[in-house]
Amino acid sequence: MNQYIAILRGINVGGNRKIKMADLKALFAELDFTEISTYIQSGNVLFSSAKGEDTLALGDKLEQAIADTFGFDVPVIVRTVEELRQAVATNPFYASPDSDIERLHLTFLKTAPAPAQLDVINQINHSPDKFNVIGNHAFVYCSGRYSESKLTNSFFEKKLKVPATTRNWKTVLKLVDLAGN
């Protein structure tokens, strides 16, 4: 069995694009996924598949199923559990002994950005906030509140030209914990 985590962008925020987690789980079951569980209302779904499916194709499949079922578009980014564990191990801001997880966030990028886009974004400085793009993740450190930072989903999407969605570090760690060993 292959374990995955689907990260949905922008559901159940401000009364828009509402999806009940029970309905989301039912949709995943209809798509023949198993071991389905959700974590908080923002759209984090852990699930398994007997097939070893490509995460990009899975995201596209889930986006289409959500649009067909609920009538609106929702970007979906999928990672294997192992990819998420690797992201936790890779976070350059988490490795610091004085890291404050309240300040850390992970922006999931649908795909790894093109080298030219990385060159552009790496020239940008939003001190005291910091970011580091590694593969298909942008690791974010906010000196204050994330809601006050310029390092938002929109920032990464515009600069890197790829869809993105962000979770706070506590959520990322909880998803890894829920996935188990």
Side-chain angles (χ1 to χ4, degrees):
M1 225 20 120
N2 300 286
Q3 284 188 293
Y4 301 94
I5 299 171
I7 311 292
L8 285 67
R9 178 169 181 194
I11 66 164
N12 302 329
V13 178
N16 297 316
R17 298 195 300 180
K18 289 185 177 187
I19 301 176
K20 292 180 182 176
M21 293 301 100
D23 295 340
L24 192 57
K25 285 174 72 173
L27 175 62
F28 274 65
E30 287 174 22
L31 296 170
D32 294 325
F33 297 123
T34 59
E35 300 173 337
I36 305 158
S37 64
T38 59
Y39 177 66
I40 62 178
Q41 300 297 311
S42 61
N44 306 291
V45 185
L46 292 95
F47 64 100
S48 295
S49 174
K51 305 176 213 166
E53 300 185 55
D54 174 74
T55 55
L56 190 57
L58 268 174
D60 292 344
K61 176 181 178 177
L62 291 166
E63 286 177 7
Q64 186 61 56
I66 289 168
D68 292 346
T69 303
F70 300 105
F72 47 82
D73 294 330
V74 174
V76 180
I77 297 174
V78 177
R79 296 288 188 266
T80 65
V81 169
E82 187 52 42
E83 286 172 323
L84 189 60
R85 286 187 183 119
Q86 185 61 39
V88 170
T90 304
N91 187 337
F93 305 119
Y94 188 52
S96 171
D98 61 341
S99 65
D100 177 1
I101 66 169
E102 298 288 333
R103 306 266 180 241
L104 304 179
H105 303 272
L106 179 57
T107 299
F108 295 85
L109 307 173
K110 186 123 182 172
T111 61
Q117 302 311 125
L118 278 175
D119 289 343
V120 169
I121 202 170
N122 284 330
Q123 303 303 313
I124 299 171
N125 181 350
H126 282 301
S127 288
D129 295 348
K130 300 181 254 185
F131 68 91
N132 192 336
V133 179
I134 301 172
N136 56 3
H137 296 112
F139 300 93
V140 178
Y141 169 84
C142 295
S143 63
R145 298 172 54 162
Y146 177 77
S147 61
E148 297 167 353
S149 176
K150 294 182 192 259
L151 303 178
T152 63
N153 290 325
S154 295
F155 167 79
F156 289 109
E157 287 179 328
K158 286 176 186 169
K159 299 297 182 189
L160 297 174
K161 309 280 190 243
V162 297
T165 190
T166 302
R167 296 297 185 268
N168 67 50
W169 199 246
K170 283 184 178 181
T171 296
V172 171
L173 294 177
K174 184 65 176 178
L175 289 171
V176 169
D177 183 52
L178 291 171
N181 296 326

